Amino acid sequence: MASVSSQPQFRYTQPPSKVLHLRNLPWECTEEELIELGKPFGKVVNTKCNVGANRNQAFIEFADLNQAIAMISYYASSSEPAQVRGKTVYLQYSNRQEIVNNKTTADIAGNVLLITIEGQDARLVSIDVLHLVFSAFGFVHKITTFEKTAGFQALVQFSDAETATSAKNALDGRIIPRYLLSDSIAPCTLRITYSAHTDLSVKFQSHRSRDYTNPYLPVAPSAIDGNCQFNLGLDGKKLEPESNVLLASIENMQYAVTLDVLHMVFSAFGPIQKIAMFDKNGALQALIQYPDIQTAIVAKEALEGHCIYDGGFCKLHLSYSRHTDLSIKLNNDRSRDYTVANPALVNPQPPVLGQQPIQTMGQAGHQYNGTQYPAPGMGQSMMPPQPSAGWGASDVPAMPQSMPLQMTNHNPYAPPASMSQMSHGMMQMPGQSGIPSPASTMPHFRPNHM
DNA sequence: AGCACA
């Protein structure tokens, strides 16, 4: 009972070390918090956080072995467990005697972030979605994407390391908000480190790379047509069971497409029960519900690839939605239930911020399971330094609605400042004022028109 | 909730 020397080491027989191993830490745990935790027991000379596959482990190294013993002993007999922000932290002696800090390029702050997108459908995350996500923290200069053994990755270039750091701190380990992705895309987790790059080289605007500082950069031929898998949801990429609800993506939307326009176009094939419009991947999408699958099939076959307007404008791409019955909360300019003759619903409600029939954009922050993270840089005028909402409540919900189409139109690109000035989706496409509105331009849908 | 290293 006394002899332990050659036994495997169990938790109660771990030999003391001035290094303590901590687990079950919260995501946001910082070096400072580790120091706070250890400080009552001695001098913390080194820490290492975000350790392990889940990055919820850490190490604390004390100056003296007795200090580590004091901490272990204290919590061994304390009725209160060690905690970081209310979360119980489990402590034990490390099996090493000192912390080895391998500072790599991934740890050295820089203005370019290396993003690894994890998830079954990571490759389907468009560069526009990434741009949207990262723009919440400051002007994004450039993005390149590529495929490596690590999976689908992107480099995102900010002006400076501070902006990059705020984005990294806020987004590392988070998922891309669901409302930014097609319904059928599996959750995508972002893993973020610093890149050693300082200035990315982008030759073309394409589906793989963008330079947002240079609107005159030529568009890569591959991005002009054909290669639009990202905008299309998952057409052809995945098995899509037929459905009475069609998902329509509208490409090259030089003209506004209204609910009434969609109703008119899709009504040609049968009665429409419901329509819900929303922005996704920076493009307009709509769900159109027919009473039956057969009608939807006919409509899809007839309309796929056709344009609502002459000249290749507002090209439709259709897929089958997973929905079978849309939930329309209220009738407004973006969603309508044609089956309900409820007077209360017939008159459009006043506009609601971030209104979304399918998902409530205003609550998007809840995608993050209530975990709070620091304010994006753009929020400072509205919020104190440590707001509770991140981009969930104030910033990003406005953006999907205001996102200009970037590849399919040739608007002058919004200047950097506008991104942080944007509020509540009010940014209209610049340079479009001379184009007749669809209200005065009857959409002449022609089945044979390409 | 169980030991780090791009």
Side-chain angles (χ1 to χ4, degrees):
Chain A
M1 164 170 162
S3 169
V4 293
S5 53
S6 62
Q7 297 295 319
Q9 291 189 335
F10 298 101
R11 60 189 139 176
Y12 303 120
T13 60
Q14 200 75 320
S17 162
K18 59 183 170 25
V19 181
L20 300 184
H21 175 223
L22 286 68
R23 47 187 210 272
N24 200 38
L25 289 159
W27 262 99
E28 315 78 61
C29 184
T30 62
E31 187 169 22
E32 288 70 31
E33 287 170 311
L34 296 178
I35 293 172
E36 285 300 309
L37 195 64
K39 195 187 282 178
F41 305 95
K43 181 171 167 54
V44 176
V45 296
N46 203 354
T47 64
K48 189 179 179 85
C49 38
N50 298 324
V51 165
N54 295 325
R55 306 190 61 185
N56 57 357
Q57 302 174 40
F59 296 92
I60 296 178
E61 181 176 337
F62 284 101
D64 187 83
L65 177 63
N66 290 335
Q67 297 167 350
I69 293 173
M71 186 167 180
I72 291 290
S73 302
Y74 174 82
Y75 284 113
S77 59
S78 167
S79 56
E80 291 291 314
Q83 292 183 332
V84 171
R85 289 195 214 168
K87 195 167 185 216
T88 296
V89 174
Y90 300 90
L91 298 170
Q92 62 191 154
Y93 295 115
S94 172
N95 53 25
R96 299 194 196 182
Q97 295 302 310
E98 60 186 17
I99 290 178
V100 178
N101 279 36
N102 287 335
K103 285 270 186 228
T104 64
T105 64
D107 300 315
I108 300 166
N111 64 316
V112 177
L113 297 176
L114 173 64
I115 319 299
T116 304
I117 299 121
E118 297 178 348
Q120 282 298 309
D121 299 321
R123 267 158 254 85
L124 299 177
V125 174
S126 72
I127 204 163
D128 294 311
V129 166
L130 293 175
H131 181 233
L132 204 51
V133 166
F134 285 89
S135 291
F137 302 89
F139 177 62
V140 174
H141 286 228
K142 301 175 185 177
I143 299 180
T144 61
T145 62
F146 49 93
E147 198 109 20
K148 278 259 181 91
T149 50
F152 184 55
Q153 295 188 301
L155 291 163
V156 177
Q157 178 177 340
F158 287 102
S159 304
D160 49 64
E162 290 67 37
T163 311
T165 299
S166 66
K168 177 179 182 292
N169 290 341
L171 296 177
D172 188 17
R174 307 286 172 180
I175 61 162
I176 295 173
R178 300 308 304 264
Y179 66 84
L180 292 177
L181 300 173
S182 290
D183 302 324
S184 46
I185 291 186
C188 296
T189 304
L190 300 171
R191 301 287 176 189
I192 304 178
T193 63
Y194 294 106
S195 163
H197 290 91
T198 56
D199 190 24
L200 303 175
S201 165
V202 176
K203 292 87 43 194
F204 296 101
Q205 312 284 18
S206 77
H207 65 289
R208 295 183 62 236
S209 63
R210 300 284 169 84
D211 181 346
Y212 301 98
T213 67
N214 183 4
Y216 302 110
L217 202 64
V219 173
S222 64
I224 291 174
D225 61 12
N227 221 331
C228 299
Q229 57 169 330
F230 295 126
N231 294 339
L232 305 187
L234 296 171
D235 297 50
K237 284 303 253 186
K238 274 196 156 180
L239 276 181
E240 286 183 318
E242 292 166 345
S243 166
N244 62 314
V245 179
L246 294 177
L247 172 65
S249 308
I250 292 140
E251 180 196 335
N252 195 16
M253 204 176 69
Q254 294 279 352
Y255 298 75
V257 172
T258 65
L259 192 75
D260 291 333
V261 167
L262 288 175
H263 186 263
M264 192 178 319
V265 170
F266 284 85
S267 287
F269 307 91
I272 290 177
Q273 292 183 324
K274 301 172 183 179
I275 299 181
M277 300 166 68
F278 52 95
D279 289 291
K280 205 163 267 187
N281 297 11
L284 181 68
Q285 296 195 347
L287 291 163
I288 296 101
Q289 178 176 337
Y290 288 107
D292 54 77
I293 294 177
Q294 285 68 32
T295 309
I297 294 172
V298 171
K300 179 176 185 291
E301 294 309 311
L303 292 175
E304 170 58 30
H306 291 286
C307 299
I308 297 176
Y309 296 101
D310 275 339
F313 299 130
C314 305
K315 189 173 183 179
L316 286 168
H317 293 283
L318 298 170
S319 60
Y320 296 109
S321 167
R322 282 182 173 177
H323 292 91
T324 56
D325 189 23
L326 303 177
S327 165
I328 305 290
K329 301 289 192 291
L330 74 170
N331 287 341
N332 55 34
D333 63 336
R334 293 176 65 92
S335 64
R336 193 148 305 171
D337 183 343
Y338 299 94
T339 66
V340 177
N342 181 347
L345 291 180
V346 169
N347 288 327
Q349 301 291 315
V352 175
L353 170 62
Q355 59 197 2
Q356 273 294 338
I358 309 304
Q359 286 157 331
T360 317
M361 284 195 162
Q363 299 303 313
H366 292 186
Q367 294 291 343
Y368 293 90
N369 299 320
T371 310
Q372 300 174 358
Y373 44 81
M378 62 186 286
Q380 72 272 32
S381 61
M382 313 174 59
M383 318 189 94
Q386 289 288 334
S388 60
W391 27 283
S394 64
D395 300 328
V396 159
M399 298 170 67
Q401 294 196 335
S402 53
M403 189 71 180
L405 291 177
Q406 287 168 4
M407 293 311 299
T408 52
N409 68 21
H410 301 284
N411 300 320
Y413 196 78
S418 74
M419 190 54 90
S420 54
Q421 300 300 327
M422 280 163 45
S423 63
H424 308 324
M426 284 298 104
M427 185 175 116
Q428 299 302 319
M429 291 184 190
Q432 295 287 325
S433 52
I435 293 186
S437 78
S440 61
T441 307
M442 281 298 281
H444 20 279
F445 163 69
R446 298 186 229 160
N448 296 326
H449 185 259
M450 282 300 288

